[in-house]
Amino acid sequence: RRVHGDVLYPPNHLCHMFSAAKQFVVSLVVSVQTLSPASALFLLPLTWLIRFVSIYLKLMAFLLTLPVRCTTRVCIAGYRMARAPVATAFAVCDYVMMTVANYFLSFLDNPKSALHKRLQQFFVWLRDVRTASLLFLLGNLFGNAPIVIFLAFFWAGLTWILIAPLSVYICYIILSNAHKRTGNEWFRLRQTRMFKAVFDYFPLTIRFDQELDPSRQYIVGIHPHGIFPWSVYHFLFNSSEVGQRFPWLNCLGLVASVLFHFPLVREASLLVGLVDASRAVATDMLSQKRNIFIIVGGEAETLLTTPGKEMIVLQHRKGFVRLALQHGVDLVPTYSFGQNDVYKTLDLLIDLRKWFAKKFKMCIPLFYGRYMTPVPYRRPITTVVGEPIAVAHIEQPTTEQVDELHARYIDALKSLFEKHKHSVGFGDRELVVV
């Protein structure tokens, strides 16, 4: 205590004592060596013995106090996270609003007075806020969870605990080819009705111009991309109208490769049946007789998203057409009215963001929704599915054959847009293909 000036755990006292003894012996060895170098050899074994015991005691002290230190750190982390009670209060209020709204709406289905109508509108608004909060929490769960977890461990001083699992997970992401093969989807998740809140929120509806033939194989083209392609929920989840009407369809979705580089977002994407949108993966999926959907416009279309305008990137996107010819797969054009209107977008630094998206295959959209948050505005999104375009099987299609089928697809999509735009309230808009 006189040497070190502190009082610690008993194991650390022993460590300090042996450290002092070691320093004493080392200084003794040095002193003796200056007088008689040969006599210092007799003290070397004692020096090494004390050094070994000191290292051993330090290791034992660390192991003995590790549970206490970890528990303390975890408690500190929990305390710091609990210092933000807004999230807890928000979840409680959300549950209360959901329960109260559903309870009163069951009695207000047939309002008889203006008061009842106003009450019904109020509780519909409450249920709307509840669904919006659900969307917001789900999005932040998969998008921000890694950051929140890292910050919690960082504030608690437990970052070292994350080094090993994080290193393993990063190696897994780099080396794994799970996003380039099938068998990753969790069918129970795709069949759940948990995401029905998303369909009810906007709401999401779908119309078919013609029944799909179960004996045929399809490539479904999704237009437009928007900030987020909400219409893909029709084809991802078997609890949707598409899943109930065509249970055999069971589409896999081809999405941008960058989506599989984000922790947790990657795992969620794999579980719902999304794979990498590369030519090799698409060829493999079609060879397995799987139906697929492709968001043709991709990142470029995301940056062009503007509320009140219908603009799609399709003029030079011919890869999916060539795939359809090589495998003899029918093309199904779809268009989602209202997809571009659920977010407000900003054109700030648009040229720089387009260059970045072209260079690094990752776009940076600037947008906001309700209450200046990522929660989308509650506006109907109506997806219309056109008649399938029959495609002949040509293993080595020529450029002229690809261009001809591509032109047919664009014409079919434009006709589909013009046919339905008046019935969904978009009669003043024109479809622009770039």
Side-chain angles (χ1 to χ4, degrees), residues 64-366:
L64 289 173
T65 59
L66 183 61
V68 178
R69 293 178 181 178
C70 290
T71 305
T72 304
R73 296 292 187 178
V74 171
C75 291
I76 293 174
Y79 168 72
R80 289 179 175 173
M81 294 178 66
R83 280 165 53 184
V86 177
T88 305
F90 183 78
V92 173
C93 292
D94 176 65
Y95 176 77
V96 172
M97 285 190 297
M98 176 188 66
T99 305
V100 174
N102 290 335
Y103 177 78
F104 278 95
L105 282 176
S106 63
F107 293 98
L108 297 174
D109 287 336
N110 298 313
K112 299 180 181 179
S113 65
L115 178 60
H116 284 182
K117 290 182 179 180
R118 294 197 176 188
L119 284 174
Q120 186 178 28
Q121 292 174 357
F122 173 71
F123 286 113
V124 166
W125 176 82
L126 283 180
R127 189 167 62 181
D128 178 23
V129 172
R130 183 262 302 179
T131 309
S133 64
L134 175 64
L135 290 173
F136 180 73
L137 290 175
L138 284 176
N140 280 271
L141 173 64
F142 292 109
N144 298 328
I147 300 176
V148 173
I149 293 173
F150 176 79
L151 289 178
F153 277 83
F154 178 76
W155 289 333
L158 296 174
T159 313
W160 59 273
I161 295 180
L162 295 178
I163 294 177
L166 191 60
S167 302
V168 173
Y169 186 59
I170 291 175
C171 293
Y172 164 73
I173 291 179
I174 296 174
L175 300 177
S176 173
N177 290 324
H179 59 290
K180 296 183 179 180
R181 61 177 185 269
T182 59
N184 302 297
E185 64 267 31
W186 185 17
F187 291 101
R188 290 292 297 274
L189 179 61
R190 299 188 68 175
Q191 293 172 357
T192 182
R193 299 183 63 84
M194 178 178 63
F195 293 92
K196 188 177 183 299
V198 178
F199 289 89
D200 295 338
Y201 174 71
F202 294 100
L204 293 175
T205 57
I206 192 167
R207 304 177 183 178
F208 290 88
D209 281 359
Q210 181 178 318
E211 293 291 319
L212 300 180
D213 185 358
S215 64
R216 299 291 297 173
Q217 190 179 2
Y218 298 103
I219 295 178
V220 181
I222 305 293
H223 308 275
H225 186 289
I227 296 299
F228 184 86
W230 296 102
S231 57
V232 301
Y233 278 60
H234 291 295
F235 302 95
L236 280 180
F237 300 105
N238 298 332
S239 57
S240 66
E241 182 179 346
V242 176
Q244 298 296 321
R245 193 169 178 177
F246 308 108
W248 49 267
L249 194 61
N250 196 23
C251 282
L252 290 175
L254 272 66
V255 296
S257 304
V258 69
L259 197 65
F260 300 100
H261 298 321
F262 292 99
L264 298 187
V265 176
R266 164 195 172 87
E267 313 310 326
S269 302
L270 292 174
L271 289 176
V272 297
L274 299 179
V275 292
D276 183 48
S278 62
R279 180 181 297 275
V281 175
T283 301
D284 186 34
M285 300 299 108
L286 294 174
S287 300
Q288 298 179 29
K289 302 302 180 183
R290 295 295 300 266
N291 299 298
I292 62 176
F293 68 79
I294 303 176
I295 310 171
V296 182
E299 299 95 341
E301 205 167 83
T302 301
L303 296 177
L304 295 178
T305 300
T306 305
K309 296 183 179 180
E310 306 298 327
M311 185 179 298
I312 62 173
V313 177
L314 182 59
Q315 198 67 50
H316 302 288
R317 301 292 176 101
K318 301 179 181 180
F320 73 104
V321 175
R322 184 177 297 275
L323 282 173
L325 285 168
Q326 290 174 342
H327 295 270
V329 179
D330 294 350
L331 292 172
V332 181
T334 71
Y335 196 88
S336 298
F337 293 93
Q339 187 105 283
N340 292 338
D341 298 332
V342 295
Y343 288 109
K344 301 290 186 181
T345 57
L346 303 175
D347 291 334
L348 183 65
L349 301 175
I350 185 64
D351 293 332
L352 177 62
R353 289 187 285 133
K354 286 182 179 179
W355 173 85
F356 187 85
K358 185 176 181 181
K359 187 73 174 178
F360 299 99
K361 305 299 181 183
M362 183 175 66
C363 70
I364 306 176
L366 299 179

Side-chain angles (χ1 to χ4, degrees), residues 6-42:
D6 59 356
V7 179
L8 300 175
Y9 297 104
N12 285 339
H13 274 289
L14 295 178
C15 292
H16 295 325
M17 183 178 63
F18 271 90
S19 297
K22 181 183 67 176
Q23 293 174 4
F24 171 77
V25 172
V26 170
S27 61
L28 181 62
V29 170
V30 173
S31 301
V32 173
Q33 189 175 10
T34 57
L35 298 176
S36 175
S39 61
L41 296 176
F42 296 98

